[in-house]
Amino acid sequence: IEDTQYGGEPISKVVTQTFFEWSYDILDGSDPFANPVQKSSFTINLRVESDVELTLLNDILDADEDRFKIHFYIDGVHKWSGKVLTDLIEYPEGPFPFTAKITAKDLSVLEGKDFSLGISRRRISEIIGYCLQQTGLDLPIRSFTNFANWQTDQQDPDADFLYALYHEPDAFSTDETRMNCLETLENVCRAYNLIIRQSGGMWIIEQLPAVAKGDDVQFDYDSAGLNPV
């Protein structure tokens, strides 16, 4: 658990019970674009045995939504990050010891974030990067695409069309309503046959036709969807 306002040394805790639960949205193989933005959650079962741990729990409960995050590592390798949602914390009333369930989520928080990227046209990768940054997670982006699976004429088949093509941000709003960032990502995914999820400490974008054919090319971006390598 990261407290963004804490500047001391990490506190370690050894546990023996089932410590975490990690889950993703279900991807329907018959209709993958029904749910192309694969939201995930991570719940830790924190055994509270002292006033020190109770103070931590109360700090989390009283904090604003951007203060606490959960980062999951295996053997020093970053696997997942998410923002702690205080309204999902569960724990029983009673004496020590007790177990508190603390849940963090990644992409579901985008439902409460309006898409607002100005009026100038932007690269598709930049639109995606902007939305993903609204999670509050500063993660790089990795795509697996091939231009040949989107537009075959007069284009480099080894280029990432997400970076080469531009989109008008105004397409994601009307005079009356503005899409939130989750709706924006879902619309982009369905338009360009994409699936987005978090894995290995980064955002993964897969263009399904390219991945299915095995001719996808890997591109890495910064968290803003720019500077591809």
Side-chain angles (χ1 to χ4, degrees), residues 25 33-39 111 131 172 179-194 196:
D25 285 348
F33 301 112
N35 192 22
V37 180
Q38 291 286 285
K39 302 180 292 294
E111 292 182 81
C131 290
F172 303 108
M179 289 185 185
N180 61 45
C181 285
L182 181 59
E183 292 170 327
T184 298
L185 286 181
E186 289 173 338
N187 274 270
V188 170
C189 285
R190 292 179 182 126
Y192 300 105
N193 300 321
L194 307 174
I196 297 177

mmCIF file with all atom_site columns, all heavy atoms in Angstrom, residues 25 33-39 111 131 172 179-194 196:
data_model
loop_
_atom_site.group_PDB
_atom_site.id
_atom_site.type_symbol
_atom_site.label_atom_id
_atom_site.label_alt_id
_atom_site.label_comp_id
_atom_site.label_asym_id
_atom_site.label_entity_id
_atom_site.label_seq_id
_atom_site.pdbx_PDB_ins_code
_atom_site.Cartn_x
_atom_site.Cartn_y
_atom_site.Cartn_z
_atom_site.occupancy
_atom_site.B_iso_or_equiv
_atom_site.pdbx_formal_charge
_atom_site.auth_seq_id
_atom_site.auth_comp_id
_atom_site.auth_asym_id
_atom_site.auth_atom_id
_atom_site.pdbx_PDB_model_num
ATOM 1   N N   . ASP A 1 25  ? -12.423 -8.013 -15.508 1.00 0.00 ? 25  ASP A N   1
ATOM 2   C CA  . ASP A 1 25  ? -13.697 -8.204 -16.185 1.00 0.00 ? 25  ASP A CA  1
ATOM 3   C C   . ASP A 1 25  ? -13.621 -9.450 -17.060 1.00 0.00 ? 25  ASP A C   1
ATOM 4   O O   . ASP A 1 25  ? -12.550 -9.808 -17.571 1.00 0.00 ? 25  ASP A O   1
ATOM 5   C CB  . ASP A 1 25  ? -14.029 -7.005 -17.081 1.00 0.00 ? 25  ASP A CB  1
ATOM 6   C CG  . ASP A 1 25  ? -14.485 -5.797 -16.289 1.00 0.00 ? 25  ASP A CG  1
ATOM 7   O OD1 . ASP A 1 25  ? -14.767 -5.940 -15.090 1.00 0.00 ? 25  ASP A OD1 1
ATOM 8   O OD2 . ASP A 1 25  ? -14.556 -4.704 -16.887 1.00 0.00 ? 25  ASP A OD2 1
ATOM 9   N N   . PHE A 1 33  ? -15.841 -7.104 -28.040 1.00 0.00 ? 33  PHE A N   1
ATOM 10  C CA  . PHE A 1 33  ? -15.968 -5.650 -28.000 1.00 0.00 ? 33  PHE A CA  1
ATOM 11  C C   . PHE A 1 33  ? -17.210 -5.182 -27.244 1.00 0.00 ? 33  PHE A C   1
ATOM 12  O O   . PHE A 1 33  ? -17.493 -3.990 -27.197 1.00 0.00 ? 33  PHE A O   1
ATOM 13  C CB  . PHE A 1 33  ? -15.938 -5.087 -29.415 1.00 0.00 ? 33  PHE A CB  1
ATOM 14  C CG  . PHE A 1 33  ? -14.670 -5.449 -30.135 1.00 0.00 ? 33  PHE A CG  1
ATOM 15  C CD1 . PHE A 1 33  ? -14.694 -6.314 -31.214 1.00 0.00 ? 33  PHE A CD1 1
ATOM 16  C CD2 . PHE A 1 33  ? -13.447 -4.955 -29.703 1.00 0.00 ? 33  PHE A CD2 1
ATOM 17  C CE1 . PHE A 1 33  ? -13.522 -6.675 -31.855 1.00 0.00 ? 33  PHE A CE1 1
ATOM 18  C CE2 . PHE A 1 33  ? -12.274 -5.308 -30.336 1.00 0.00 ? 33  PHE A CE2 1
ATOM 19  C CZ  . PHE A 1 33  ? -12.307 -6.173 -31.413 1.00 0.00 ? 33  PHE A CZ  1
ATOM 20  N N   . ALA A 1 34  ? -17.937 -6.134 -26.662 1.00 0.00 ? 34  ALA A N   1
ATOM 21  C CA  . ALA A 1 34  ? -19.009 -5.748 -25.745 1.00 0.00 ? 34  ALA A CA  1
ATOM 22  C C   . ALA A 1 34  ? -18.422 -5.120 -24.486 1.00 0.00 ? 34  ALA A C   1
ATOM 23  O O   . ALA A 1 34  ? -19.066 -4.307 -23.833 1.00 0.00 ? 34  ALA A O   1
ATOM 24  C CB  . ALA A 1 34  ? -19.867 -6.963 -25.391 1.00 0.00 ? 34  ALA A CB  1
ATOM 25  N N   . ASN A 1 35  ? -17.202 -5.510 -24.158 1.00 0.00 ? 35  ASN A N   1
ATOM 26  C CA  . ASN A 1 35  ? -16.543 -4.999 -22.957 1.00 0.00 ? 35  ASN A CA  1
ATOM 27  C C   . ASN A 1 35  ? -15.046 -4.863 -23.241 1.00 0.00 ? 35  ASN A C   1
ATOM 28  O O   . ASN A 1 35  ? -14.224 -5.576 -22.673 1.00 0.00 ? 35  ASN A O   1
ATOM 29  C CB  . ASN A 1 35  ? -16.789 -5.959 -21.787 1.00 0.00 ? 35  ASN A CB  1
ATOM 30  C CG  . ASN A 1 35  ? -16.404 -5.363 -20.454 1.00 0.00 ? 35  ASN A CG  1
ATOM 31  O OD1 . ASN A 1 35  ? -16.331 -4.145 -20.316 1.00 0.00 ? 35  ASN A OD1 1
ATOM 32  N ND2 . ASN A 1 35  ? -16.153 -6.212 -19.476 1.00 0.00 ? 35  ASN A ND2 1
ATOM 33  N N   . PRO A 1 36  ? -14.661 -3.938 -24.134 1.00 0.00 ? 36  PRO A N   1
ATOM 34  C CA  . PRO A 1 36  ? -13.269 -3.898 -24.598 1.00 0.00 ? 36  PRO A CA  1
ATOM 35  C C   . PRO A 1 36  ? -12.280 -3.285 -23.617 1.00 0.00 ? 36  PRO A C   1
ATOM 36  O O   . PRO A 1 36  ? -11.087 -3.501 -23.753 1.00 0.00 ? 36  PRO A O   1
ATOM 37  C CB  . PRO A 1 36  ? -13.364 -3.047 -25.867 1.00 0.00 ? 36  PRO A CB  1
ATOM 38  C CG  . PRO A 1 36  ? -14.498 -2.108 -25.593 1.00 0.00 ? 36  PRO A CG  1
ATOM 39  C CD  . PRO A 1 36  ? -15.489 -2.925 -24.806 1.00 0.00 ? 36  PRO A CD  1
ATOM 40  N N   . VAL A 1 37  ? -12.767 -2.508 -22.652 1.00 0.00 ? 37  VAL A N   1
ATOM 41  C CA  . VAL A 1 37  ? -11.892 -1.922 -21.637 1.00 0.00 ? 37  VAL A CA  1
ATOM 42  C C   . VAL A 1 37  ? -11.954 -2.823 -20.412 1.00 0.00 ? 37  VAL A C   1
ATOM 43  O O   . VAL A 1 37  ? -12.938 -2.827 -19.666 1.00 0.00 ? 37  VAL A O   1
ATOM 44  C CB  . VAL A 1 37  ? -12.315 -0.484 -21.284 1.00 0.00 ? 37  VAL A CB  1
ATOM 45  C CG1 . VAL A 1 37  ? -11.381 0.109  -20.222 1.00 0.00 ? 37  VAL A CG1 1
ATOM 46  C CG2 . VAL A 1 37  ? -12.308 0.389  -22.530 1.00 0.00 ? 37  VAL A CG2 1
ATOM 47  N N   . GLN A 1 38  ? -10.926 -3.623 -20.233 1.00 0.00 ? 38  GLN A N   1
ATOM 48  C CA  . GLN A 1 38  ? -10.921 -4.670 -19.221 1.00 0.00 ? 38  GLN A CA  1
ATOM 49  C C   . GLN A 1 38  ? -10.511 -4.115 -17.852 1.00 0.00 ? 38  GLN A C   1
ATOM 50  O O   . GLN A 1 38  ? -9.334  -4.053 -17.505 1.00 0.00 ? 38  GLN A O   1
ATOM 51  C CB  . GLN A 1 38  ? -9.981  -5.798 -19.647 1.00 0.00 ? 38  GLN A CB  1
ATOM 52  C CG  . GLN A 1 38  ? -10.478 -6.596 -20.832 1.00 0.00 ? 38  GLN A CG  1
ATOM 53  C CD  . GLN A 1 38  ? -11.619 -7.513 -20.437 1.00 0.00 ? 38  GLN A CD  1
ATOM 54  O OE1 . GLN A 1 38  ? -11.404 -8.537 -19.803 1.00 0.00 ? 38  GLN A OE1 1
ATOM 55  N NE2 . GLN A 1 38  ? -12.845 -7.143 -20.779 1.00 0.00 ? 38  GLN A NE2 1
ATOM 56  N N   . LYS A 1 39  ? -11.511 -3.740 -17.078 1.00 0.00 ? 39  LYS A N   1
ATOM 57  C CA  . LYS A 1 39  ? -11.276 -3.194 -15.742 1.00 0.00 ? 39  LYS A CA  1
ATOM 58  C C   . LYS A 1 39  ? -10.846 -4.317 -14.796 1.00 0.00 ? 39  LYS A C   1
ATOM 59  O O   . LYS A 1 39  ? -11.251 -5.471 -14.963 1.00 0.00 ? 39  LYS A O   1
ATOM 60  C CB  . LYS A 1 39  ? -12.540 -2.517 -15.226 1.00 0.00 ? 39  LYS A CB  1
ATOM 61  C CG  . LYS A 1 39  ? -13.036 -1.396 -16.136 1.00 0.00 ? 39  LYS A CG  1
ATOM 62  C CD  . LYS A 1 39  ? -14.291 -0.740 -15.619 1.00 0.00 ? 39  LYS A CD  1
ATOM 63  C CE  . LYS A 1 39  ? -15.497 -1.636 -15.654 1.00 0.00 ? 39  LYS A CE  1
ATOM 64  N NZ  . LYS A 1 39  ? -15.906 -1.993 -17.037 1.00 0.00 ? 39  LYS A NZ  1
ATOM 65  N N   . GLU A 1 111 ? -15.129 6.270  -15.022 1.00 0.00 ? 111 GLU A N   1
ATOM 66  C CA  . GLU A 1 111 ? -16.544 6.617  -15.190 1.00 0.00 ? 111 GLU A CA  1
ATOM 67  C C   . GLU A 1 111 ? -16.842 8.003  -14.622 1.00 0.00 ? 111 GLU A C   1
ATOM 68  O O   . GLU A 1 111 ? -17.777 8.674  -15.067 1.00 0.00 ? 111 GLU A O   1
ATOM 69  C CB  . GLU A 1 111 ? -17.419 5.568  -14.520 1.00 0.00 ? 111 GLU A CB  1
ATOM 70  C CG  . GLU A 1 111 ? -17.375 4.211  -15.195 1.00 0.00 ? 111 GLU A CG  1
ATOM 71  C CD  . GLU A 1 111 ? -18.285 3.198  -14.526 1.00 0.00 ? 111 GLU A CD  1
ATOM 72  O OE1 . GLU A 1 111 ? -19.510 3.228  -14.817 1.00 0.00 ? 111 GLU A OE1 1
ATOM 73  O OE2 . GLU A 1 111 ? -17.794 2.404  -13.712 1.00 0.00 ? 111 GLU A OE2 1
ATOM 74  N N   . CYS A 1 131 ? -6.845  9.576  -21.447 1.00 0.00 ? 131 CYS A N   1
ATOM 75  C CA  . CYS A 1 131 ? -7.860  8.890  -20.637 1.00 0.00 ? 131 CYS A CA  1
ATOM 76  C C   . CYS A 1 131 ? -7.220  8.014  -19.565 1.00 0.00 ? 131 CYS A C   1
ATOM 77  O O   . CYS A 1 131 ? -7.651  8.023  -18.405 1.00 0.00 ? 131 CYS A O   1
ATOM 78  C CB  . CYS A 1 131 ? -8.767  8.058  -21.536 1.00 0.00 ? 131 CYS A CB  1
ATOM 79  S SG  . CYS A 1 131 ? -9.857  9.037  -22.594 1.00 0.00 ? 131 CYS A SG  1
ATOM 80  N N   . PHE A 1 172 ? -16.235 13.063 -29.332 1.00 0.00 ? 172 PHE A N   1
ATOM 81  C CA  . PHE A 1 172 ? -16.633 12.375 -28.107 1.00 0.00 ? 172 PHE A CA  1
ATOM 82  C C   . PHE A 1 172 ? -17.547 13.236 -27.233 1.00 0.00 ? 172 PHE A C   1
ATOM 83  O O   . PHE A 1 172 ? -17.670 13.002 -26.037 1.00 0.00 ? 172 PHE A O   1
ATOM 84  C CB  . PHE A 1 172 ? -15.401 11.952 -27.320 1.00 0.00 ? 172 PHE A CB  1
ATOM 85  C CG  . PHE A 1 172 ? -14.477 11.078 -28.116 1.00 0.00 ? 172 PHE A CG  1
ATOM 86  C CD1 . PHE A 1 172 ? -13.264 11.553 -28.571 1.00 0.00 ? 172 PHE A CD1 1
ATOM 87  C CD2 . PHE A 1 172 ? -14.845 9.785  -28.445 1.00 0.00 ? 172 PHE A CD2 1
ATOM 88  C CE1 . PHE A 1 172 ? -12.410 10.750 -29.320 1.00 0.00 ? 172 PHE A CE1 1
ATOM 89  C CE2 . PHE A 1 172 ? -14.007 8.977  -29.206 1.00 0.00 ? 172 PHE A CE2 1
ATOM 90  C CZ  . PHE A 1 172 ? -12.793 9.457  -29.644 1.00 0.00 ? 172 PHE A CZ  1
ATOM 91  N N   . MET A 1 179 ? -18.813 12.763 -23.161 1.00 0.00 ? 179 MET A N   1
ATOM 92  C CA  . MET A 1 179 ? -18.505 11.415 -22.709 1.00 0.00 ? 179 MET A CA  1
ATOM 93  C C   . MET A 1 179 ? -17.506 11.460 -21.558 1.00 0.00 ? 179 MET A C   1
ATOM 94  O O   . MET A 1 179 ? -16.667 12.355 -21.489 1.00 0.00 ? 179 MET A O   1
ATOM 95  C CB  . MET A 1 179 ? -17.896 10.590 -23.854 1.00 0.00 ? 179 MET A CB  1
ATOM 96  C CG  . MET A 1 179 ? -18.849 10.217 -24.953 1.00 0.00 ? 179 MET A CG  1
ATOM 97  S SD  . MET A 1 179 ? -18.031 9.123  -26.151 1.00 0.00 ? 179 MET A SD  1
ATOM 98  C CE  . MET A 1 179 ? -19.321 8.994  -27.385 1.00 0.00 ? 179 MET A CE  1
ATOM 99  N N   . ASN A 1 180 ? -17.609 10.482 -20.670 1.00 0.00 ? 180 ASN A N   1
ATOM 100 C CA  . ASN A 1 180 ? -16.544 10.337 -19.691 1.00 0.00 ? 180 ASN A CA  1
ATOM 101 C C   . ASN A 1 180 ? -15.398 9.556  -20.324 1.00 0.00 ? 180 ASN A C   1
ATOM 102 O O   . ASN A 1 180 ? -15.493 9.076  -21.462 1.00 0.00 ? 180 ASN A O   1
ATOM 103 C CB  . ASN A 1 180 ? -17.048 9.681  -18.399 1.00 0.00 ? 180 ASN A CB  1
ATOM 104 C CG  . ASN A 1 180 ? -17.602 8.272  -18.607 1.00 0.00 ? 180 ASN A CG  1
ATOM 105 O OD1 . ASN A 1 180 ? -17.009 7.447  -19.295 1.00 0.00 ? 180 ASN A OD1 1
ATOM 106 N ND2 . ASN A 1 180 ? -18.740 7.985  -17.994 1.00 0.00 ? 180 ASN A ND2 1
ATOM 107 N N   . CYS A 1 181 ? -14.309 9.444  -19.609 1.00 0.00 ? 181 CYS A N   1
ATOM 108 C CA  . CYS A 1 181 ? -13.109 8.826  -20.194 1.00 0.00 ? 181 CYS A CA  1
ATOM 109 C C   . CYS A 1 181 ? -13.293 7.335  -20.464 1.00 0.00 ? 181 CYS A C   1
ATOM 110 O O   . CYS A 1 181 ? -12.713 6.805  -21.416 1.00 0.00 ? 181 CYS A O   1
ATOM 111 C CB  . CYS A 1 181 ? -11.911 9.062  -19.278 1.00 0.00 ? 181 CYS A CB  1
ATOM 112 S SG  . CYS A 1 181 ? -11.276 10.756 -19.363 1.00 0.00 ? 181 CYS A SG  1
ATOM 113 N N   . LEU A 1 182 ? -14.091 6.655  -19.651 1.00 0.00 ? 182 LEU A N   1
ATOM 114 C CA  . LEU A 1 182 ? -14.339 5.244  -19.911 1.00 0.00 ? 182 LEU A CA  1
ATOM 115 C C   . LEU A 1 182 ? -15.137 5.074  -21.200 1.00 0.00 ? 182 LEU A C   1
ATOM 116 O O   . LEU A 1 182 ? -14.809 4.220  -22.033 1.00 0.00 ? 182 LEU A O   1
ATOM 117 C CB  . LEU A 1 182 ? -15.087 4.613  -18.738 1.00 0.00 ? 182 LEU A CB  1
ATOM 118 C CG  . LEU A 1 182 ? -15.401 3.120  -18.875 1.00 0.00 ? 182 LEU A CG  1
ATOM 119 C CD1 . LEU A 1 182 ? -14.125 2.297  -19.040 1.00 0.00 ? 182 LEU A CD1 1
ATOM 120 C CD2 . LEU A 1 182 ? -16.212 2.625  -17.683 1.00 0.00 ? 182 LEU A CD2 1
ATOM 121 N N   . GLU A 1 183 ? -16.173 5.875  -21.389 1.00 0.00 ? 183 GLU A N   1
ATOM 122 C CA  . GLU A 1 183 ? -16.959 5.802  -22.618 1.00 0.00 ? 183 GLU A CA  1
ATOM 123 C C   . GLU A 1 183 ? -16.109 6.140  -23.839 1.00 0.00 ? 183 GLU A C   1
ATOM 124 O O   . GLU A 1 183 ? -16.255 5.528  -24.902 1.00 0.00 ? 183 GLU A O   1
ATOM 125 C CB  . GLU A 1 183 ? -18.142 6.761  -22.524 1.00 0.00 ? 183 GLU A CB  1
ATOM 126 C CG  . GLU A 1 183 ? -19.183 6.373  -21.497 1.00 0.00 ? 183 GLU A CG  1
ATOM 127 C CD  . GLU A 1 183 ? -20.203 7.471  -21.264 1.00 0.00 ? 183 GLU A CD  1
ATOM 128 O OE1 . GLU A 1 183 ? -19.832 8.661  -21.361 1.00 0.00 ? 183 GLU A OE1 1
ATOM 129 O OE2 . GLU A 1 183 ? -21.370 7.136  -20.986 1.00 0.00 ? 183 GLU A OE2 1
ATOM 130 N N   . THR A 1 184 ? -15.208 7.103  -23.679 1.00 0.00 ? 184 THR A N   1
ATOM 131 C CA  . THR A 1 184 ? -14.321 7.474  -24.784 1.00 0.00 ? 184 THR A CA  1
ATOM 132 C C   . THR A 1 184 ? -13.434 6.305  -25.184 1.00 0.00 ? 184 THR A C   1
ATOM 133 O O   . THR A 1 184 ? -13.298 5.980  -26.367 1.00 0.00 ? 184 THR A O   1
ATOM 134 C CB  . THR A 1 184 ? -13.454 8.677  -24.387 1.00 0.00 ? 184 THR A CB  1
ATOM 135 O OG1 . THR A 1 184 ? -14.302 9.799  -24.108 1.00 0.00 ? 184 THR A OG1 1
ATOM 136 C CG2 . THR A 1 184 ? -12.488 9.041  -25.507 1.00 0.00 ? 184 THR A CG2 1
ATOM 137 N N   . LEU A 1 185 ? -12.822 5.649  -24.197 1.00 0.00 ? 185 LEU A N   1
ATOM 138 C CA  . LEU A 1 185 ? -11.978 4.491  -24.494 1.00 0.00 ? 185 LEU A CA  1
ATOM 139 C C   . LEU A 1 185 ? -12.783 3.380  -25.155 1.00 0.00 ? 185 LEU A C   1
ATOM 140 O O   . LEU A 1 185 ? -12.306 2.735  -26.101 1.00 0.00 ? 185 LEU A O   1
ATOM 141 C CB  . LEU A 1 185 ? -11.321 3.975  -23.217 1.00 0.00 ? 185 LEU A CB  1
ATOM 142 C CG  . LEU A 1 185 ? -10.174 4.790  -22.632 1.00 0.00 ? 185 LEU A CG  1
ATOM 143 C CD1 . LEU A 1 185 ? -9.639  4.119  -21.377 1.00 0.00 ? 185 LEU A CD1 1
ATOM 144 C CD2 . LEU A 1 185 ? -9.051  4.990  -23.649 1.00 0.00 ? 185 LEU A CD2 1
ATOM 145 N N   . GLU A 1 186 ? -13.981 3.141  -24.670 1.00 0.00 ? 186 GLU A N   1
ATOM 146 C CA  . GLU A 1 186 ? -14.807 2.081  -25.255 1.00 0.00 ? 186 GLU A CA  1
ATOM 147 C C   . GLU A 1 186 ? -15.125 2.390  -26.715 1.00 0.00 ? 186 GLU A C   1
ATOM 148 O O   . GLU A 1 186 ? -15.108 1.488  -27.568 1.00 0.00 ? 186 GLU A O   1
ATOM 149 C CB  . GLU A 1 186 ? -16.096 1.931  -24.447 1.00 0.00 ? 186 GLU A CB  1
ATOM 150 C CG  . GLU A 1 186 ? -15.884 1.307  -23.078 1.00 0.00 ? 186 GLU A CG  1
ATOM 151 C CD  . GLU A 1 186 ? -17.133 1.303  -22.222 1.00 0.00 ? 186 GLU A CD  1
ATOM 152 O OE1 . GLU A 1 186 ? -18.050 2.125  -22.486 1.00 0.00 ? 186 GLU A OE1 1
ATOM 153 O OE2 . GLU A 1 186 ? -17.206 0.500  -21.281 1.00 0.00 ? 186 GLU A OE2 1
ATOM 154 N N   . ASN A 1 187 ? -15.415 3.654  -27.021 1.00 0.00 ? 187 ASN A N   1
ATOM 155 C CA  . ASN A 1 187 ? -15.707 4.034  -28.404 1.00 0.00 ? 187 ASN A CA  1
ATOM 156 C C   . ASN A 1 187 ? -14.489 3.876  -29.301 1.00 0.00 ? 187 ASN A C   1
ATOM 157 O O   . ASN A 1 187 ? -14.595 3.386  -30.432 1.00 0.00 ? 187 ASN A O   1
ATOM 158 C CB  . ASN A 1 187 ? -16.220 5.471  -28.453 1.00 0.00 ? 187 ASN A CB  1
ATOM 159 C CG  . ASN A 1 187 ? -17.720 5.564  -28.213 1.00 0.00 ? 187 ASN A CG  1
ATOM 160 O OD1 . ASN A 1 187 ? -18.510 5.502  -29.138 1.00 0.00 ? 187 ASN A OD1 1
ATOM 161 N ND2 . ASN A 1 187 ? -18.098 5.683  -26.955 1.00 0.00 ? 187 ASN A ND2 1
ATOM 162 N N   . VAL A 1 188 ? -13.318 4.268  -28.811 1.00 0.00 ? 188 VAL A N   1
ATOM 163 C CA  . VAL A 1 188 ? -12.084 4.106  -29.587 1.00 0.00 ? 188 VAL A CA  1
ATOM 164 C C   . VAL A 1 188 ? -11.800 2.625  -29.817 1.00 0.00 ? 188 VAL A C   1
ATOM 165 O O   . VAL A 1 188 ? -11.450 2.206  -30.935 1.00 0.00 ? 188 VAL A O   1
ATOM 166 C CB  . VAL A 1 188 ? -10.901 4.781  -28.868 1.00 0.00 ? 188 VAL A CB  1
ATOM 167 C CG1 . VAL A 1 188 ? -9.582  4.411  -29.545 1.00 0.00 ? 188 VAL A CG1 1
ATOM 168 C CG2 . VAL A 1 188 ? -11.074 6.297  -28.862 1.00 0.00 ? 188 VAL A CG2 1
ATOM 169 N N   . CYS A 1 189 ? -11.968 1.824  -28.788 1.00 0.00 ? 189 CYS A N   1
ATOM 170 C CA  . CYS A 1 189 ? -11.704 0.386  -28.915 1.00 0.00 ? 189 CYS A CA  1
ATOM 171 C C   . CYS A 1 189 ? -12.608 -0.256 -29.959 1.00 0.00 ? 189 CYS A C   1
ATOM 172 O O   . CYS A 1 189 ? -12.151 -1.048 -30.796 1.00 0.00 ? 189 CYS A O   1
ATOM 173 C CB  . CYS A 1 189 ? -11.893 -0.298 -27.565 1.00 0.00 ? 189 CYS A CB  1
ATOM 174 S SG  . CYS A 1 189 ? -10.564 -0.029 -26.380 1.00 0.00 ? 189 CYS A SG  1
ATOM 175 N N   . ARG A 1 190 ? -13.874 0.073  -29.930 1.00 0.00 ? 190 ARG A N   1
ATOM 176 C CA  . ARG A 1 190 ? -14.812 -0.543 -30.869 1.00 0.00 ? 190 ARG A CA  1
ATOM 177 C C   . ARG A 1 190 ? -14.573 -0.066 -32.294 1.00 0.00 ? 190 ARG A C   1
ATOM 178 O O   . ARG A 1 190 ? -14.767 -0.822 -33.245 1.00 0.00 ? 190 ARG A O   1
ATOM 179 C CB  . ARG A 1 190 ? -16.244 -0.257 -30.428 1.00 0.00 ? 190 ARG A CB  1
ATOM 180 C CG  . ARG A 1 190 ? -16.609 -0.965 -29.124 1.00 0.00 ? 190 ARG A CG  1
ATOM 181 C CD  . ARG A 1 190 ? -18.016 -0.676 -28.665 1.00 0.00 ? 190 ARG A CD  1
ATOM 182 N NE  . ARG A 1 190 ? -18.283 -1.355 -27.393 1.00 0.00 ? 190 ARG A NE  1
ATOM 183 C CZ  . ARG A 1 190 ? -18.727 -0.750 -26.307 1.00 0.00 ? 190 ARG A CZ  1
ATOM 184 N NH1 . ARG A 1 190 ? -18.985 0.547  -26.324 1.00 0.00 ? 190 ARG A NH1 1
ATOM 185 N NH2 . ARG A 1 190 ? -18.927 -1.436 -25.203 1.00 0.00 ? 190 ARG A NH2 1
ATOM 186 N N   . ALA A 1 191 ? -14.136 1.187  -32.435 1.00 0.00 ? 191 ALA A N   1
ATOM 187 C CA  . ALA A 1 191 ? -13.882 1.722  -33.775 1.00 0.00 ? 191 ALA A CA  1
ATOM 188 C C   . ALA A 1 191 ? -12.658 1.086  -34.425 1.00 0.00 ? 191 ALA A C   1
ATOM 189 O O   . ALA A 1 191 ? -12.611 0.922  -35.647 1.00 0.00 ? 191 ALA A O   1
ATOM 190 C CB  . ALA A 1 191 ? -13.705 3.232  -33.702 1.00 0.00 ? 191 ALA A CB  1
ATOM 191 N N   . TYR A 1 192 ? -11.671 0.699  -33.589 1.00 0.00 ? 192 TYR A N   1
ATOM 192 C CA  . TYR A 1 192 ? -10.396 0.229  -34.138 1.00 0.00 ? 192 TYR A CA  1
ATOM 193 C C   . TYR A 1 192 ? -10.029 -1.193 -33.695 1.00 0.00 ? 192 TYR A C   1
ATOM 194 O O   . TYR A 1 192 ? -8.883  -1.602 -33.806 1.00 0.00 ? 192 TYR A O   1
ATOM 195 C CB  . TYR A 1 192 ? -9.284  1.202  -33.755 1.00 0.00 ? 192 TYR A CB  1
ATOM 196 C CG  . TYR A 1 192 ? -9.518  2.593  -34.276 1.00 0.00 ? 192 TYR A CG  1
ATOM 197 C CD1 . TYR A 1 192 ? -9.923  3.618  -33.429 1.00 0.00 ? 192 TYR A CD1 1
ATOM 198 C CD2 . TYR A 1 192 ? -9.368  2.888  -35.634 1.00 0.00 ? 192 TYR A CD2 1
ATOM 199 C CE1 . TYR A 1 192 ? -10.161 4.900  -33.909 1.00 0.00 ? 192 TYR A CE1 1
ATOM 200 C CE2 . TYR A 1 192 ? -9.603  4.158  -36.118 1.00 0.00 ? 192 TYR A CE2 1
ATOM 201 C CZ  . TYR A 1 192 ? -9.999  5.157  -35.248 1.00 0.00 ? 192 TYR A CZ  1
ATOM 202 O OH  . TYR A 1 192 ? -10.243 6.423  -35.730 1.00 0.00 ? 192 TYR A OH  1
ATOM 203 N N   . ASN A 1 193 ? -11.036 -1.948 -33.189 1.00 0.00 ? 193 ASN A N   1
ATOM 204 C CA  . ASN A 1 193 ? -10.839 -3.366 -32.844 1.00 0.00 ? 193 ASN A CA  1
ATOM 205 C C   . ASN A 1 193 ? -9.765  -3.566 -31.774 1.00 0.00 ? 193 ASN A C   1
ATOM 206 O O   . ASN A 1 193 ? -8.869  -4.407 -31.923 1.00 0.00 ? 193 ASN A O   1
ATOM 207 C CB  . ASN A 1 193 ? -10.483 -4.175 -34.092 1.00 0.00 ? 193 ASN A CB  1
ATOM 208 C CG  . ASN A 1 193 ? -11.555 -4.111 -35.155 1.00 0.00 ? 193 ASN A CG  1
ATOM 209 O OD1 . ASN A 1 193 ? -12.748 -4.132 -34.842 1.00 0.00 ? 193 ASN A OD1 1
ATOM 210 N ND2 . ASN A 1 193 ? -11.148 -4.005 -36.411 1.00 0.00 ? 193 ASN A ND2 1
ATOM 211 N N   . LEU A 1 194 ? -9.866  -2.811 -30.686 1.00 0.00 ? 194 LEU A N   1
ATOM 212 C CA  . LEU A 1 194 ? -8.857  -2.842 -29.633 1.00 0.00 ? 194 LEU A CA  1
ATOM 213 C C   . LEU A 1 194 ? -9.418  -3.406 -28.333 1.00 0.00 ? 194 LEU A C   1
ATOM 214 O O   . LEU A 1 194 ? -10.611 -3.288 -28.046 1.00 0.00 ? 194 LEU A O   1
ATOM 215 C CB  . LEU A 1 194 ? -8.334  -1.429 -29.355 1.00 0.00 ? 194 LEU A CB  1
ATOM 216 C CG  . LEU A 1 194 ? -7.822  -0.610 -30.531 1.00 0.00 ? 194 LEU A CG  1
ATOM 217 C CD1 . LEU A 1 194 ? -7.495  0.803  -30.078 1.00 0.00 ? 194 LEU A CD1 1
ATOM 218 C CD2 . LEU A 1 194 ? -6.593  -1.276 -31.151 1.00 0.00 ? 194 LEU A CD2 1
ATOM 219 N N   . ILE A 1 196 ? -8.157  -3.048 -24.200 1.00 0.00 ? 196 ILE A N   1
ATOM 220 C CA  . ILE A 1 196 ? -7.236  -2.364 -23.287 1.00 0.00 ? 196 ILE A CA  1
ATOM 221 C C   . ILE A 1 196 ? -7.332  -2.999 -21.911 1.00 0.00 ? 196 ILE A C   1
ATOM 222 O O   . ILE A 1 196 ? -8.432  -3.237 -21.401 1.00 0.00 ? 196 ILE A O   1
ATOM 223 C CB  . ILE A 1 196 ? -7.563  -0.858 -23.188 1.00 0.00 ? 196 ILE A CB  1
ATOM 224 C CG1 . ILE A 1 196 ? -7.382  -0.170 -24.542 1.00 0.00 ? 196 ILE A CG1 1
ATOM 225 C CG2 . ILE A 1 196 ? -6.689  -0.182 -22.133 1.00 0.00 ? 196 ILE A CG2 1
ATOM 226 C CD1 . ILE A 1 196 ? -7.753  1.312  -24.543 1.00 0.00 ? 196 ILE A CD1 1
#
